[in-house]
C-alpha cells in the first residue's frame, strides 16, 4: 500500500515538474491549458486502471509512452494533434477495461 502511494506521489510530482517546465519554456513551444487539463485527466485514468488492475502492465507502459508523445506534440504547438492522441489513449483504456473479464460471444450461425 505504501509503495503504491509513494509511486503515485512520485508520478504527481513528476507530472507537475514536466508541466511547469513545459509551460515555462515559451521558446521551445507551448503546453496549453487544454493539453495540461487533458493530460491530467488521462494520467488519472491510467492510474485508476492500473490500481484496479483492469489493464496489463504492458498496456500501462504503452499508455504512458503515448502520454509522453502527446506532451511532446503539444509542446511543439500541434495542440489538436496532441488532443487527438489523448483521446486515443482514453478510448483505448475504456475499451480495454470493458473487455477484461468478459466471455467472448460465440459466433452465431
Amino acid at each position: 500500500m505504501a509503495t503504491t502511494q509513494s509511486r503515485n506521489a512520485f508520478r504527481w510530482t513528476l507530472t507537475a515538474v514536466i508541466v511547469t517546465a513545459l509551460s515555462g519554456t515559451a521558446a521551445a513551444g507551448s503546453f496549453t491549458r487544454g493539453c495540461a487539463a487533458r493530460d491530467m485527466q488521462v494520467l488519472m485514468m491510467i492510474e485508476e486502471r492500473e490500481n484496479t488492475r483492469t489493464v496489463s502492465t504492458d498496456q500501462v507502459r504503452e499508455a504512458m509512452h503515448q502520454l509522453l508523445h502527446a506532451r511532446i506534440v503539444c509542446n511543439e504547438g500541434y495542440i489538436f494533434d496532441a488532443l487527438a492522441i489523448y483521446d486515443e489513449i482514453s478510448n483505448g483504456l475504456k475499451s480495454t477495461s470493458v473487455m477484461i473479464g468478459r466471455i467472448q460471444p460465440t459466433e452465431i450461425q
Side-chain angles (χ1 to χ4, degrees):
M1 179 73 122
T3 304
T4 302
Q5 289 175 346
S6 64
R7 186 173 38 186
N8 287 340
F10 173 75
R11 285 185 183 157
W12 280 107
T13 303
L14 181 62
T15 300
V17 168
I18 290 171
V19 169
T20 302
L22 291 176
S23 63
T25 57
S30 64
F31 197 77
T32 66
R33 287 184 191 164
C35 284
R38 193 68 177 126
D39 190 273
M40 290 301 266
Q41 289 173 342
V42 172
L43 182 62
M44 288 176 13
M45 179 183 284
I46 292 168
E47 288 181 353
E48 186 269 329
R49 297 300 192 277
E50 180 182 28
N51 290 338
T52 59
R53 298 174 193 225
T54 54
V55 293
S56 70
T57 305
D58 289 338
Q59 290 167 317
V60 170
R61 187 177 308 119
E62 177 61 25
M64 292 301 290
H65 178 75
Q66 288 178 325
L67 187 74
L68 180 59
H69 177 63
R71 290 174 180 170
I72 292 168
V73 169
C74 191
N75 190 45
E76 291 175 347
Y78 301 102
I79 309 306
F80 292 114
D81 293 337
L83 293 175
I85 295 169
Y86 287 121
D87 288 343
E88 286 178 27
I89 299 166
S90 177
N91 291 336
L93 291 172
K94 287 177 185 175
S95 65
T96 300
S97 63
V98 170
M99 297 295 285
I100 291 179
R102 292 207 165 174
I103 299 172
Q104 296 296 324
T106 57
E107 187 175 318
I108 299 175
Q109 296 181 9

